[in-house]
Amino acid sequence: MGLFDELPVPPEKEYLREELSRVDELWAAARFDSLPHVVHILTSKDREGEVQYLKEQSDVIEEVVDEVVHSYHSGFNKAIQNYSQILRLFSESTESIGVLKLDLAEAKKRLSARNKQLHQLWYRSVTLRHIISLLDQIEGIAKVPARIEKLIAEKQFYAAVQLHLQSMLMLEREGLQTVGALQDVRSELTKLRGVLFYKVLEDLHAHLYNKGEYSSAGSTMLDNDDEVPTTTAAALTTQNSQPLSRRTRLLKGDNDGPYKSRSMDGGSFDGHEEEGTLEINEEATTLKVNGGDITKDTKTALSQMPLWLSNATPDEFLELIRKSDAPLHVKYLQTMVECLCKLGKVAAAGAIISQRLRPTIHEIMTSKIKAHAEHQSLSRASISQGSRAGTGGLHFIKGQLEVYQLPKQKHQNGISIAGTLVTVSPVSPVMSPGGKAQVAAKDLLDSILDAVVRIFENHVVVGELLESKASQHADMNTPKSMPADVNWNLDSEASQATGGYSVGFSLSVLQSECQQLICEVLRATPEAASADAAVQTARLASKVPSKEKRDGSDDGLTFAFRFTDATVSVPNQGVDLIRQGWSRRGPNVLPEGYGSAAVLPEQGIYLAASIYRPVLQFADKIASMLPTKYSQLGRRNDGLLAFVENFVKDHFLPTMFVDYRKCVQQAISSPAAFRPRAHLVTAYTPSIEKGRPVLQGLLAIDFLTKEVLGWAQAMPKFANDLVKYVQTFLERTYERCRTSYMEAVLEKQSYMLIGRHDVEKLMRIDSSSAYLPNPLGELNTENNLPDAETIEVESELSDLLLNLRPIKQENLIHDDNKLILLASLSDSLEYVADSIERLGQATQRAPNQVVNGKVNPTHTDNTKNLASFAQEYRKLAIDCLKVLRIEMQMETIFHLQGMTNREYLDDQDAEEPDDFIISLTAQITQRDEKMAPFVSNAKRNYIFGGICGIAANAFLKALADMKSINLFGVQQICRDSIALEQALSAIPSISSEVVQQRLDRVRTYYELLNMPFEALLAFVTEHKHLFTVIEYGNLLKVQVPGREIPPDAQYRVSEILSL
């Protein structure tokens, strides 16, 4: 920027700026030195030109100066005029002040003569002004009682408390204490203090139990098992040394307890109103601050207040309420507690709340039960015409173990399964895990515990506020500005300051009442719980804890009675007394109880299953609601959950074990337990509802097992114990089944054969074992052998059995009832094994139990044990089938061994089979008909499918032991094979083509005896592999009348077969 850029050059003379820019800035230096310029001109060649150039620059500068002077000339003139005016005014002011000083000096001189008279007049005016103010205040105070009553009637309790405190403070003001006309007002305000206290307390009591106008809407406890009803309360305290719960951490402010205002005592009559002076008017109480009224902003803030604070005077508490985002009912509870604190009645309120807590809870529970009963009666009347099939199990059992519902179907022979199983279970259908009594008990307890949780939520808010105020301002419960009252002077102890009321105390009473209700539902009232709980509650409320115990561990946490005492055992009386319910009741127990019998179809110890889960959820919600100070209550061993768990562990589980053990013993030891049912049907059905002939004992055991596991689903914590009970029952049942099996097969040859390693191996790899599941419940795959190997295995097993000849009759099972028992036992064992596997899988799918933060390994072990029991049951079922198969094969050998050492030299055609064939076929048909209802077609195929192969081999090997045979003998044997083929083909599960193929081979073999040697030699040449070398050799050895056999016949046949 150039030196002359800011000069005021007009637009039409912009050329001047260019000319100025050519002027060297050295000419404008502060200390101009002309010598260099003179020397430059003198030394210049064109001196005239240089001089002319300087003249031109001088003219430009003069022209610019003219323009500047022209531009600023008017401003300079106006400034000069203004400065002239200012100088004139200062001169005149100096003269006036001099005159004023003279006047003031004269006035001072004149006033000093009457100084005392003026002071007296000023003092009199101040006194009169103060008297007028007092008269106005007296007139306002006289109307306060009526206005307080009006506010109480409108339930504006906080405004009424404020007005009462302000009035009492004004009555204590100097000048009003000796006014006799105010004595009646004092007395009336004292009475109103008590009335106001009880009104506030009554409204607080109603809202504590959700019966007030601003109570929260009842949120259902079990809408979501993982959510806890949370309410954020505002603790209106600062510098709180006690940790607050999450419900009281949102708001914190300063509140000095009872209302405190600036003291009015000792005011000087200086002619000014004192700051904070209260002016009581006709319509409302207003607060003048520094002589000013409440602003419009304050009125706008009041319009945002809750309805019950609409007439209150703004203060710090109202500001905190306005800024708080706590629910409405919590704000109301805070307001009521603040009223009690301002009245100095914290201890009295706590004592009354403590005394009324137990009877109120008892009344609420009783009324809920009555309402529940009325609702049930109405519902029962409305659905009496409808179906009740929808009364399912508990929500935590439904969908997992639906087998607890007794089947309604009947067998085709008219026998009802339900009627049979009802006599087995130790509980009635309504008390079963999915019964109506369990559902009703759970619904009732859910409803009551839901109400208790919401009530305790309010007690947490009120208890914390009372304790925090009492601990910080115990010495302010009787303000200095209030008259002394010995009933208001409280002990400095925290519990004494709250009248014995605390969060821990309220939780103790609530849980003790819930426990007594549970005892009534279970019909179990231990003597430890029969003391008068109300008396103990009052005693605990008035008890002052010692300083040694004020470490926070047991601060107000003693229950009205110890829950652990409620689990005392009853010696020498047995568990039957526990199950039926203790009838002995203490003399102080309320005789009417809760009336739960009107709601529940039945009561008893088995309802512990439906009680456990609601109590568990209740304990979780209570623990999440507890303040930090009382967090140890959630871990104590004497709470409601601990009582229920101890009751289940010490009474319910032992009772259940004894009951079910007795039922299991009765089920497996009764005469009909292992007696196959008499059926009118001939076809097997796999459905138990349609008449599957499961043995009565095993059917009962299956039902009892499912029922016990149903209790385990209801009480997951004790599932391991209950699964162990099931394992014990299954073990005893297995032993009984094993005994029944051994009674049928003991000392029988078939049983001994399946125990031999070689026989067991051949039977395992035999193709027929494909009809059997392996012990793991899967189909066998190791028996898929090629046909050649299958024939070889079958032939080897057949030779092994034929080598046992002669078979003695006493080594066979001739009692058909035992064979039918084995068939029915096999099917029943497989049914139970399948059921155990399903139960084990359901148990495995259930969530693993967590103990101390780790997955409980016992849960997995129990599942494995159930699977091992299923394997044992299925293995025994397979043994039964193996015995039946071997038995039928041995029976076949026993009858066919009559062919040996016999001459078949008949003289006529065979019209009838041999007697032993008739006996065998009749026995096969009879046993098949008797076993048909008890085993499936695949099992029948396995049992009777081995007869054809063993009979065919027996026919072929019998030729080696025959002395001679003629044409009619061959016809007789063919007739025998045809009769056996007809009998086996009549069994639906056996393939008639396989039977015909094998017995055709027998007839072909014996018909070769009718051929001449040359024809036989030609047949051998064409059918080398149809028979073995030994079988072809036996054809040559037997004597056939009329057939000529050359001496080298054996050699020639061997030579052909060796090619």
Side-chain angles (χ1 to χ4, degrees):
M1 180 180 292
L3 179 65
F4 309 107
D5 291 346
E6 299 299 328
L7 294 177
V9 179
E12 64 273 11
K13 295 185 178 182
E14 283 294 331
Y15 65 91
L16 292 177
R17 293 185 181 277
E18 297 180 3
E19 295 294 336
L20 285 175
S21 63
R22 297 176 184 175
V23 178
D24 194 350
E25 292 184 358
L26 294 176
W27 295 96
R31 298 182 63 181
F32 177 73
D33 187 7
S34 61
L35 181 60
H37 297 282
V38 173
V39 173
H40 176 70
I41 293 174
L42 293 178
T43 58
S44 175
K45 294 180 179 180
D46 187 9
R47 297 178 181 176
E48 296 294 334
E50 291 292 337
V51 172
Q52 185 63 31
Y53 178 73
L54 289 177
K55 287 182 179 181
E56 290 177 358
Q57 286 186 341
S58 176
D59 294 340
V60 170
I61 291 173
E62 287 180 358
E63 188 175 359
V64 171
V65 171
D66 292 341
E67 291 296 330
V68 171
V69 171
H70 179 74
S71 299
Y72 290 101
H73 182 267
S74 60
F76 290 156
N77 290 338
K78 187 174 181 180
I80 293 171
Q81 293 175 3
N82 289 340
Y83 280 115
S84 299
Q85 287 288 72
I86 290 172
L87 180 60
R88 184 180 60 80
L89 290 175
F90 269 106
S91 300
E92 291 177 356
S93 299
T94 302
E95 294 176 359
S96 299
I97 288 173
V99 175
L100 181 60
K101 285 182 178 180
L102 294 175
D103 292 342
L104 287 175
E106 184 66 21
K108 181 178 180 182
K109 183 177 180 181
R110 292 182 180 182
L111 287 175
S112 60
R114 296 180 178 272
N115 183 28
K116 186 176 181 180
Q117 294 179 0
L118 289 175
H119 187 272
Q120 290 176 352
L121 290 175
W122 171 81
Y123 187 81
R124 185 179 179 184
S125 66
V126 172
T127 304
L128 291 175
R129 192 183 303 116
H130 184 67
I131 292 173
I132 292 172
S133 176
L134 288 178
L135 291 175
D136 290 340
Q137 293 175 7
I138 291 172
E139 184 180 0
I141 291 175
K143 298 178 181 180
V144 165
R147 292 170 49 211
I148 290 178
E149 291 178 354
K150 181 180 178 182
L151 290 173
I152 292 175
E154 295 175 354
K155 291 191 174 182
Q156 296 287 333
F157 296 116
Y158 190 77
V161 170
Q162 281 184 321
L163 182 56
H164 180 275
L165 293 177
Q166 293 165 3
S167 302
M168 293 297 294
L169 289 172
M170 293 189 68
L171 288 176
E172 293 302 311
R173 182 176 178 178
E174 183 179 356
L176 295 181
Q177 294 178 353
T178 59
V179 178
L182 294 179
Q183 294 302 319
D184 293 341
V185 177
R186 292 176 187 275
S187 176
E188 216 170 326
L189 287 177
T190 302
K191 293 179 181 178
L192 282 175
R193 183 174 187 269
V195 172
L196 188 58
F197 164 68
Y198 283 108
K199 289 290 185 180
V200 170
L201 184 62
E202 192 66 30
D203 211 46
L204 175 62
H205 184 269
H207 283 79
L208 268 177
Y209 300 98
N210 295 314
K211 297 180 181 179
E213 181 180 356
Y214 302 101
S215 296
S216 61
S219 58
T220 309
M221 174 181 170
L222 292 178
D223 281 347
N224 191 333
D225 289 351
D226 298 328
E227 293 181 2
V228 181
T230 56
T231 305
T232 306
L236 306 177
T237 56
T238 55
Q239 299 177 354
N240 192 350
S241 59
Q242 299 176 355
L244 301 178
S245 70
R246 65 182 183 186
R247 283 173 165 69
T248 57
R249 291 178 189 145
L250 184 59
L251 290 180
K252 279 191 175 182
D254 293 332
N255 185 23
D256 294 331
Y259 186 88
K260 293 182 64 179
S261 65
R262 188 181 303 274
S263 176
M264 295 183 178
D265 299 335
S268 62
F269 299 102
D270 56 0
H272 299 283
E273 293 289 333
E274 295 179 351
E275 293 182 359
T277 301
L278 298 174
E279 179 180 310
I280 303 179
N281 299 323
E282 283 279 350
E283 300 298 332
T285 302
T286 59
L287 180 65
K288 287 190 175 182
V289 181
N290 297 327
D293 293 335
I294 300 175
T295 63
K296 292 183 179 180
D297 294 338
T298 307
K299 293 181 180 179
T300 304
L302 282 176
S303 65
Q304 300 175 358
M305 287 292 175
L307 185 62
W308 66 84
L309 295 175
S310 57
N311 294 336
T313 302
D315 58 6
E316 293 179 358
F317 175 76
L318 265 66
E319 183 66 17
L320 289 174
I321 288 293
R322 185 180 66 82
K323 293 180 179 179
S324 171
D325 58 353
L328 195 66
H329 72 283
V330 174
K331 291 183 178 180
Y332 193 80
L333 292 175
Q334 295 169 358
T335 305
M336 295 299 101
V337 173
E338 186 69 17
C339 291
L340 294 174
C341 187
K342 287 180 178 295
L343 291 173
K345 290 283 192 177
V346 172
I352 295 176
I353 292 174
S354 300
Q355 293 173 3
R356 298 178 64 181
L357 177 57
R358 185 176 295 279
T360 305
I361 290 296
H362 190 282
E363 180 185 356
I364 289 174
M365 288 183 176
T366 306
S367 62
K368 274 194 166 293
I369 291 174
K370 290 181 180 178
H372 205 73
E374 293 175 0
H375 176 72
Q376 274 191 349
S377 62
L378 294 176
S379 301
R380 192 179 299 112
S382 62
I383 64 172
S384 58
Q385 302 297 329
S387 173
R388 298 176 183 268
T391 308
L394 300 178
H395 75 282
F396 45 82
I397 301 177
K398 183 177 180 182
Q400 295 188 13
L401 296 175
E402 298 178 352
V403 290
Y404 303 123
Q405 299 298 323
L406 294 179
K408 303 297 182 183
Q409 295 85 354
K410 291 186 177 181
H411 289 172
Q412 297 183 13
N413 59 356
I415 301 176
S416 173
I417 302 177
T420 304
L421 296 181
V422 166
T423 61
V424 173
S425 176
V427 295
S428 61
V430 297
M431 288 288 282
S432 63
K436 295 180 180 179
Q438 300 289 344
V439 177
K442 178 184 175 297
D443 292 343
L444 176 64
L445 207 61
D446 280 343
S447 174
I448 291 178
L449 292 182
D450 176 28
V452 171
V453 165
R454 289 187 283 113
I455 290 172
F456 180 67
E457 183 181 1
N458 297 332
H459 278 278
V460 169
V461 176
V462 174
E464 267 200 297
L465 290 175
L466 288 178
E467 290 179 20
S468 62
K469 291 184 179 299
S471 63
Q472 290 190 10
H473 310 290
D475 56 337
M476 293 184 178
N477 286 329
T478 306
K480 296 179 180 179
S481 58
M482 290 189 177
D485 186 345
V486 294
N487 294 326
W488 303 347
N489 293 329
L490 303 176
D491 196 285
S492 61
E493 296 285 346
S495 61
Q496 184 72 11
T498 58
Y501 175 75
S502 66
V503 176
F505 175 81
S506 61
L507 177 60
S508 303
V509 176
L510 291 174
Q511 290 197 110
S512 65
E513 282 296 317
C514 293
Q515 183 197 8
Q516 292 208 19
L517 172 63
I518 290 174
C519 287
E520 180 179 288
V521 171
L522 299 177
R523 292 192 305 176
T525 309
E527 291 185 2
S530 63
D532 189 355
V535 175
Q536 294 192 21
T537 302
R539 176 178 58 81
L540 290 172
S542 61
K543 181 180 179 181
V544 181
S546 61
K547 294 183 179 180
E548 291 78 4
K549 294 184 179 180
R550 295 183 62 216
D551 56 353
S553 59
D554 286 322
D555 189 10
L557 306 183
T558 306
F559 288 152
F561 52 86
R562 282 298 183 193
F563 293 125
T564 51
D565 296 338
T567 59
V568 295
S569 59
V570 182
N572 301 326
Q573 296 184 29
V575 293
D576 290 336
L577 178 60
I578 300 173
R579 182 172 65 256
Q580 296 170 3
W582 286 292
S583 60
R584 300 194 305 270
R585 300 175 64 90
N588 295 324
V589 177
L590 294 176
E592 67 275 8
Y594 299 90
S596 59
V599 179
L600 304 177
E602 286 189 25
Q603 291 179 326
I605 193 172
Y606 278 92
L607 290 180
S610 60
I611 286 174
Y612 175 76
R613 192 173 291 256
V615 171
L616 179 63
Q617 296 169 346
F618 169 79
D620 291 341
K621 289 173 173 55
I622 290 295
S624 65
M625 295 167 62
L626 285 173
T628 306
K629 176 182 177 181
Y630 297 102
S631 59
Q632 71 275 7
L633 273 179
R635 301 187 296 269
R636 289 173 67 98
N637 295 324
D638 54 359
L640 183 62
L641 179 61
F643 161 72
V644 173
E645 289 181 349
N646 290 336
F647 183 86
V648 170
K649 180 175 62 176
D650 297 338
H651 299 303
F652 180 47
L653 293 183
T655 300
M656 179 188 294
F657 179 73
V658 172
D659 288 347
Y660 278 89
R661 182 179 61 182
K662 187 185 300 182
C663 292
V664 169
Q665 189 63 30
Q666 292 175 353
I668 62 179
S669 62
S670 64
F674 290 90
R675 181 187 303 159
R677 301 176 186 176
H679 283 265
L680 300 178
V681 297
T682 57
Y684 172 82
T685 175
S687 173
I688 190 68
E689 291 81 7
K690 295 181 180 180
R692 183 173 180 174
V694 179
L695 291 173
Q696 191 71 31
L698 291 179
L699 185 62
I701 294 304
D702 178 66
F703 174 79
L704 293 174
T705 298
K706 293 174 181 177
E707 195 166 77
V708 173
L709 291 180
W711 301 119
Q713 291 287 343
M715 301 177 293
K717 182 174 182 178
F718 306 97
N720 291 331
D721 297 329
L722 292 171
V723 171
K724 290 179 181 177
Y725 293 170
V726 170
Q727 294 171 0
T728 302
F729 302 153
L730 291 177
E731 185 176 1
R732 293 192 177 186
T733 305
Y734 177 79
E735 293 174 356
R736 179 64 180 86
C737 293
R738 187 75 185 179
T739 301
S740 180
Y741 165 75
M742 291 303 299
E743 291 176 354
V745 302
L746 188 62
E747 297 182 355
K748 302 303 179 182
Q749 198 166 8
S750 56
Y751 166 70
M752 291 184 285
L753 283 174
I754 66 170
R756 286 173 50 174
H757 177 70
D758 52 348
V759 175
E760 191 274 333
K761 180 180 179 181
L762 292 173
M763 294 187 71
R764 187 175 68 253
I765 64 177
D766 188 12
S767 60
S768 61
S769 62
Y771 298 108
L772 297 177
N774 60 28
L776 297 178
E778 302 172 355
L779 291 177
N780 283 308
T781 56
E782 56 181 315
N783 48 35
N784 296 330
L785 302 175
D787 292 340
E789 294 185 15
T790 300
I791 295 174
E792 182 180 354
V793 169
E794 184 178 344
S795 176
E796 185 177 354
L797 181 59
S798 177
D799 292 342
L800 191 150
L801 296 179
L802 289 173
N803 290 335
L804 299 176
R805 294 178 298 181
I807 304 297
K808 298 182 179 179
Q809 188 172 4
E810 58 268 18
N811 294 332
L812 301 176
I813 304 175
H814 285 281
D815 188 355
D816 289 348
N817 292 328
K818 291 184 178 182
L819 297 175
I820 296 173
L821 172 62
L822 290 175
S824 180
L825 183 61
S826 173
D827 183 69
S828 302
L829 287 168
E830 187 173 353
Y831 168 77
V832 175
D834 293 340
S835 178
I836 294 172
E837 277 190 346
R838 287 193 298 269
L839 293 176
Q841 293 171 359
T843 306
Q844 191 173 11
R845 286 194 301 267
N848 289 333
Q849 304 176 41
V850 178
V851 179
N852 296 327
K854 299 181 179 178
V855 178
N856 188 1
T858 312
H859 180 78
T860 306
D861 295 340
N862 289 334
T863 304
K864 292 180 179 178
N865 290 335
L866 287 178
S868 65
F869 273 107
Q871 295 178 20
E872 292 295 329
Y873 273 72
R874 187 170 281 110
K875 183 178 179 182
L876 184 58
I878 293 174
D879 287 345
C880 292
L881 294 176
K882 288 182 177 180
V883 167
L884 290 174
R885 178 181 176 87
I886 294 295
E887 187 65 28
M888 293 308 301
Q889 290 177 328
M890 297 295 292
E891 194 73 37
T892 302
I893 296 174
F894 172 75
H895 285 82
L896 294 182
Q897 67 185 2
M899 298 174 61
T900 60
N901 299 322
R902 177 182 171 184
E903 294 182 354
Y904 276 87
L905 300 176
D906 298 334
D907 54 357
Q908 59 182 358
D909 290 340
E911 297 181 357
E912 295 293 335
D914 287 325
D915 292 339
F916 60 86
I917 292 294
I918 295 175
S919 176
L920 176 61
T921 54
Q923 193 177 61
I924 291 174
T925 303
Q926 181 182 5
R927 290 183 176 179
D928 176 64
E929 291 177 354
K930 290 182 178 180
M931 291 184 189
F934 296 96
V935 289
S936 63
N937 287 337
K939 305 300 188 304
R940 288 170 65 189
N941 191 355
Y942 180 77
I943 294 171
F944 296 99
I947 296 177
C948 182
I950 200 71
N953 287 337
F955 275 117
L956 296 180
K957 292 184 180 299
L959 184 62
D961 298 328
M962 290 183 186
K963 296 179 181 180
S964 59
I965 184 172
N966 59 6
L967 176 62
F968 294 110
V970 171
Q971 294 178 355
Q972 181 66 49
I973 292 176
C974 291
R975 184 69 187 87
D976 291 344
S977 66
I978 292 174
L980 183 59
E981 177 185 343
Q982 292 174 348
L984 293 176
S985 299
I987 300 176
S989 58
I990 296 180
S991 174
S992 58
E993 295 180 359
V994 174
V995 173
Q996 181 180 1
Q997 179 182 359
R998 293 196 174 187
L999 293 181
D1000 278 347
R1001 182 170 178 269
V1002 171
R1003 291 189 286 271
T1004 300
Y1005 181 73
Y1006 277 92
E1007 287 174 355
L1008 292 177
L1009 296 174
N1010 297 330
M1011 292 183 180
F1013 176 73
E1014 295 300 331
L1016 177 60
L1017 201 62
F1019 181 86
V1020 172
T1021 304
E1022 294 177 1
H1023 303 86
K1024 295 180 181 180
H1025 303 292
L1026 184 59
F1027 300 102
T1028 65
V1029 176
I1030 297 176
E1031 290 171 347
Y1032 278 120
N1034 292 335
L1035 291 174
L1036 300 176
K1037 292 178 182 180
V1038 68
Q1039 295 182 6
V1040 179
R1043 187 184 66 168
E1044 295 181 359
I1045 300 297
D1048 59 346
Q1050 191 73 33
Y1051 172 76
R1052 293 171 64 182
V1053 170
S1054 299
E1055 186 178 0
I1056 294 174
L1057 293 176
S1058 62
L1059 294 177

